[in-house]
Amino acid sequence: MPGEFLDAAVDLWRADRVDQSMRTGESVLVLVDQDATTPAEYIQTLLAIDHYSSPVGIIPISKRSSDLNQLVRLLGDETIHIDISRSRFRLTETAEANFPSAPPVLSRARQGDPASVAEDLQADLLVLQGHAGPVDAGFGRWLTLCSRHLHQPGEPPTFPCFDTYQCFRQKLHGRSPFSKEGLFNPTHLTSSLAIIDGCGTIPVPGSIFNYETSIARCVMESQVRAAVMTHGVSASPLSTLIVFLGTLAEGLSLGEAVRGANHHVYQVGSSTSMGGVAAAPWAVLGNPEIKVSGLPLIESVPRSTELGAEYSVDEAFLDSPFGGLVSLLGLSGRPGPFDVTAPDGRWVRGALSARGRTYLWIAGPGPHAKPKAGEQVKVLLSKRPDDPTSCWRRKSKWMQANKVLLHRMADTFTKRGGEEDHFRTLISLWDEISGEAELAAFAVTPLRRQSISPPLTSRTERLDARINALARVTARAIAAAVPVTGARLSRLWLPPWLPAGTVHFSEQCSCGCPLVGDARRHPLLELVRVEMRCPACGSAGDVCGERVTSASGAFECAPTVMGGPKQRAVPAGAAVEVRVRRLGGEETEGFASAALFDPFQQRQVLVDGTGVQPLSTTDLAVTIPEDWPQGLSQAVVAVVVGCEISFLDFDIMVQSRTADPVGGHPEVQPRGIGVKHSAREWRHVDG
């Protein structure tokens, strides 16, 4: 670590120690040498800090682009004040935040025009959520954070637009690839506190994404005084934001609020990219000890009812575009999950935090209503019920989910210039066969115990054979359509799938980091999928899952398919080797088909359907043409087993035929870890 940066950080932050030792609850500041740190070293350092329940802040250090003024701005303040009337939330991936009844400041994503974007970017508190990566992040048609201006001529391009200035994102908005409309340089951000919630907005050192051309570097060079960004895949539910804001409003530090938000994400089963309870995906870029004032919070003690709890809040407290945050006392010992409602129909959402607090965000009375003095708003909490299922019903429900996905693919395919006939034929075949599957699902019921019938397996042999034949065709059709519809096919599942727990893997990514994953349950059907990812390389797949009961009787989820590339950086002319493993599921043959395509979707390589047997491993090879463009390409493997559709998706860095492998770094010992006692007494939260 360059001495001038280390000395400045120690002085500004007033660190007690600069070494490798930590004690439980101490705040930690990590200075990260972007040129010498390996992915595994970086991830393991954060997980080690997480082991000590320590709030953590990260400061990227680069010999080429770091400036001591950045340290002064990010480490020089102990408190920042937020004018809540100047807060803006543009959450393009969160439907419940954009209901007409939601607080006006929360539903800014519904304001899709340049003027509203310009207003939002002047906010004291700016919260953005959408589809992102280390280089660019999209938050609607008129706001894309873009860092391509940092690219230096002669350096290897991450995206083709680095050299050509043709933006492949603009086509999604119906604009010319040369258009600059909606593109915003994050260096110009001025918010006191900015939360940029999307996948991998902080690049992991040594990964295929370079800090020098990243959004994180732009934020370091902006006027933002405190920032929260992400590692790996982030799919934060709205409840994460409620825990984060509630913790800040109670007077805890930014590092503690981020830790609380990540702990909540871990508990509800959304993305936890680092695999630790609170190590990721959110991370503080800057001072973890800084505190935020100006957030409205009121405490309330609920009254117990037969179904749950009831409480009241003074209407005057909610009379603002923000609404109000409420901290409920005395609910920490009650088992969830809960549903929350307001008898007058107003918008209200909530979350249980790891600290034993219950937070609620309640909307105001509306633009035309005027609260009366002393008027109370009632809110009710009630226990949410569960629902079981059976094997053939599960197959029938997967078919229902598949048809929604295939219809969405067909619509997207048609809108982007493809021919829909093949998809429509495929959907009609699934429609026809799903009727027979539904009959099989209800062929054996408790009301037919007195009848004598042949075994169900012998009555469904022909149906299974037809499903297998259709599975092979479906795998190839999906792979062939991916260059048009996009590699991240999980966005085509509707309605959105809900968190259902965290999945731990022993397997590693090709970069050496352990894979991590999250279970997702269908909100209506009793189905489970698992989203896999690497904390350094990003998305690894979206596969079907099975419910498993552990020895202790607790619910767990296991993927039925796994896989990924053997290496992420491949020279043109070589083959991308992808390994597909069947771990479970029904005892029938499955089929896998792979596609590789460039970001402009002008070229593709397609591997036809290959058989994937139960409890076996299959290797697929996708040969990259010698004249394939250098830089980032996308790949997907569609795996269809019976009626279960799974995707393995990943990015591939295509190199010149003479290029050195990406990610080679000298072995070094991590340095620049500072620890600091909190002024507040630390209360350890067990678990």
Side-chain angles (χ1 to χ4, degrees):
M1 181 63 58
E4 65 269 23
F5 294 111
L6 185 57
D7 293 341
V10 170
D11 292 340
L12 287 165
W13 202 56
R14 298 188 294 280
D16 295 331
R17 296 189 307 283
V18 183
D19 54 28
Q20 299 282 335
S21 64
M22 289 176 283
R23 291 193 288 266
T24 298
E26 290 181 322
S27 293
V28 180
L29 185 68
V30 183
L31 307 185
V32 185
D33 188 330
Q34 297 297 307
D35 300 314
T37 308
T38 66
E41 193 175 54
Y42 181 74
I43 301 302
Q44 289 305 317
T45 298
L46 293 183
L47 292 179
I49 296 170
D50 184 64
H51 175 74
Y52 288 92
S53 302
S54 295
V56 59
I58 297 167
I59 298 286
I61 301 295
S62 167
K63 297 180 180 67
R64 287 185 287 172
S65 59
S66 292
D67 187 325
L68 290 178
N69 291 327
Q70 299 170 10
L71 297 186
V72 174
R73 190 184 77 253
L74 292 173
L75 300 179
D77 293 330
E78 295 185 356
T79 304
I80 56 176
H81 180 75
I82 298 296
D83 181 349
I84 200 62
S85 67
R86 289 175 47 79
S87 63
R88 292 293 185 272
F89 300 78
R90 192 165 284 265
L91 312 182
T92 57
E93 300 296 313
T94 305
E96 57 187 334
N98 295 297
F99 291 160
S101 57
V105 297
L106 184 59
S107 56
R108 295 294 294 180
R110 298 172 62 224
Q111 306 296 319
D113 59 85
S116 67
V117 169
E119 178 187 341
D120 290 357
L121 293 178
Q122 303 300 315
D124 278 11
L125 169 62
L126 177 63
V127 183
L128 303 175
Q129 184 190 70
H131 175 68
V135 175
D136 66 342
F139 307 103
R141 173 176 169 78
W142 294 104
L143 178 57
T144 298
L145 301 184
C146 176
S147 62
R148 70 182 182 185
H149 64 280
L150 297 174
H151 175 66
Q152 297 296 318
E155 293 185 351
T158 302
F159 286 167
C161 60
F162 281 23
D163 282 335
T164 65
Y165 284 88
Q166 295 186 57
C167 178
F168 55 87
R169 306 288 193 201
Q170 294 287 30
K171 184 178 180 181
L172 302 177
H173 302 305
R175 295 192 282 253
S176 162
F178 291 99
S179 173
K180 296 183 179 180
E181 289 184 293
L183 301 182
F184 182 80
N185 180 353
T187 306
H188 298 151
L189 289 173
T190 60
S191 299
S192 297
L193 175 59
I195 292 91
I196 304 177
D197 184 18
C199 297
T201 52
I202 300 178
V204 173
S207 67
I208 60 176
F209 296 101
N210 194 326
Y211 170 75
E212 300 299 335
T213 54
S214 68
I215 296 175
R217 176 185 165 185
C218 291
V219 174
M220 289 292 294
E221 296 178 357
S222 72
Q223 295 305 307
V224 170
R225 296 168 61 193
V228 176
M229 300 176 71
T230 61
H231 288 114
V233 176
S234 180
S236 309
L238 182 63
S239 55
T240 307
L241 182 60
I242 295 174
V243 168
F244 173 75
L245 294 175
T247 306
L248 280 180
E250 284 192 359
L252 276 70
S253 70
L254 184 61
E256 291 169 310
V258 165
R259 181 171 176 79
N262 281 335
H263 203 136
H264 172 77
V265 167
Y266 180 87
Q267 289 180 317
V268 301
S270 186
S271 292
T272 51
S273 299
M274 295 296 181
V277 173
W282 283 19
V284 177
L285 198 70
N287 181 5
E289 284 281 279
I290 201 167
K291 295 188 177 181
V292 179
S293 62
L295 292 169
L297 179 74
I298 190 172
E299 291 185 341
S300 177
V301 179
R303 181 179 64 86
S304 296
T305 66
E306 183 177 350
L307 298 178
E310 175 186 300
Y311 62 96
S312 299
V313 180
D314 194 328
E315 180 77 271
F317 174 72
L318 308 175
D319 187 22
S320 76
F322 181 88
L325 295 170
V326 178
S327 176
L328 297 182
L329 306 177
L331 286 179
S332 59
R334 301 198 182 189
F338 294 105
D339 289 321
V340 59
T341 57
D344 64 359
R346 77 178 61 215
W347 184 96
V348 55
R349 298 293 186 273
L352 303 172
S353 81
R355 297 174 55 247
R357 292 299 185 106
T358 302
Y359 298 111
L360 297 174
W361 191 344
I362 310 175
H368 304 297
K370 292 185 178 181
K372 298 179 181 178
E375 189 171 351
Q376 298 290 301
V377 177
K378 289 186 178 181
V379 180
L380 308 175
L381 265 71
S382 56
K383 188 92 166 55
R384 187 181 306 153
D386 289 327
D387 188 8
T389 188
S390 67
C391 176
W392 263 98
R393 287 182 183 178
R394 181 172 180 267
K395 292 183 180 182
S396 181
K397 290 172 182 178
W398 268 117
M399 291 183 183
Q400 294 181 51
N402 291 345
K403 286 190 290 184
V404 174
L405 170 74
L406 293 173
H407 274 292
R408 291 269 291 170
M409 286 196 74
D411 292 342
T412 304
F413 193 66
T414 304
K415 289 177 182 177
R416 298 181 181 176
E419 296 182 5
E420 64 176 340
D421 293 347
H422 298 303
F423 259 115
R424 299 303 177 190
T425 302
L426 187 65
I427 292 170
S428 67
L429 291 173
W430 277 111
D431 273 332
E432 179 183 336
I433 211 167
S434 64
E436 298 181 43
E438 189 172 347
L439 292 176
F442 293 94
V444 178
T445 68
L447 298 180
R448 297 183 183 178
R449 290 177 181 173
Q450 305 304 315
S451 63
I452 300 175
S453 302
L456 187 60
T457 52
S458 65
R459 298 168 62 189
T460 56
E461 286 178 353
R462 292 183 61 189
L463 179 59
D464 278 332
R466 292 176 60 198
I467 290 175
N468 286 345
L470 190 53
R472 178 188 288 271
V473 177
T474 302
R476 190 183 192 284
I478 291 175
V482 159
V484 178
T485 58
R488 306 295 184 249
L489 298 176
S490 59
R491 63 189 171 78
L492 298 177
W493 292 99
L494 277 179
W497 293 51
L498 306 176
T502 303
V503 182
H504 300 279
F505 303 125
S506 59
E507 287 82 0
Q508 291 184 337
C509 176
S510 57
C511 73
C513 293
L515 291 173
V516 291
D518 300 302
R520 294 271 172 179
R521 65 179 177 86
H522 195 283
L524 301 177
L525 309 175
E526 191 70 10
L527 302 175
V528 180
R529 297 197 341 268
V530 178
E531 295 180 357
M532 303 183 300
R533 68 208 168 279
C534 166
C537 302
S539 178
D542 187 342
V543 303
C544 297
E546 288 186 333
R547 288 180 176 270
V548 178
T549 303
S550 66
S552 63
F555 160 76
E556 294 180 357
C557 179
T560 59
V561 177
M562 286 194 70
K566 293 183 178 180
Q567 58 184 132
R568 293 280 181 162
V570 182
V576 179
E577 296 183 355
V578 184
R579 177 156 291 178
V580 179
R581 296 173 54 205
R582 283 274 305 278
L583 304 177
E586 50 192 296
E587 294 297 314
T588 184
E589 185 178 12
F591 302 93
S593 190
L596 175 74
F597 60 97
D598 68 88
F600 282 98
Q601 305 163 4
Q602 294 175 342
R603 300 183 63 180
Q604 79 173 88
V605 179
L606 181 67
V607 176
D608 206 346
T610 301
V612 182
Q613 300 297 331
L615 301 176
S616 66
T617 299
T618 303
D619 291 332
L620 286 78
V622 183
T623 302
I624 304 174
E626 294 186 3
D627 60 345
W628 195 268
Q630 294 182 48
L632 197 70
S633 289
Q634 293 177 288
V636 70
V637 178
V639 184
V640 184
V641 180
C643 52
E644 298 179 1
I645 298 177
S646 301
F647 315 119
L648 303 173
D649 55 75
F650 42 87
D651 297 325
I652 292 293
M653 186 63 67
V654 178
Q655 303 172 311
S656 66
R657 300 187 64 183
T658 58
D660 293 328
V662 169
H665 295 277
E667 292 296 327
V668 297
Q669 294 299 319
R671 297 184 58 208
I673 301 179
V675 293
K676 178 180 179 180
H677 296 288
S678 174
R680 182 182 60 82
E681 178 186 358
W682 176 262
R683 291 175 295 172
H684 180 68
V685 180
D686 214 1

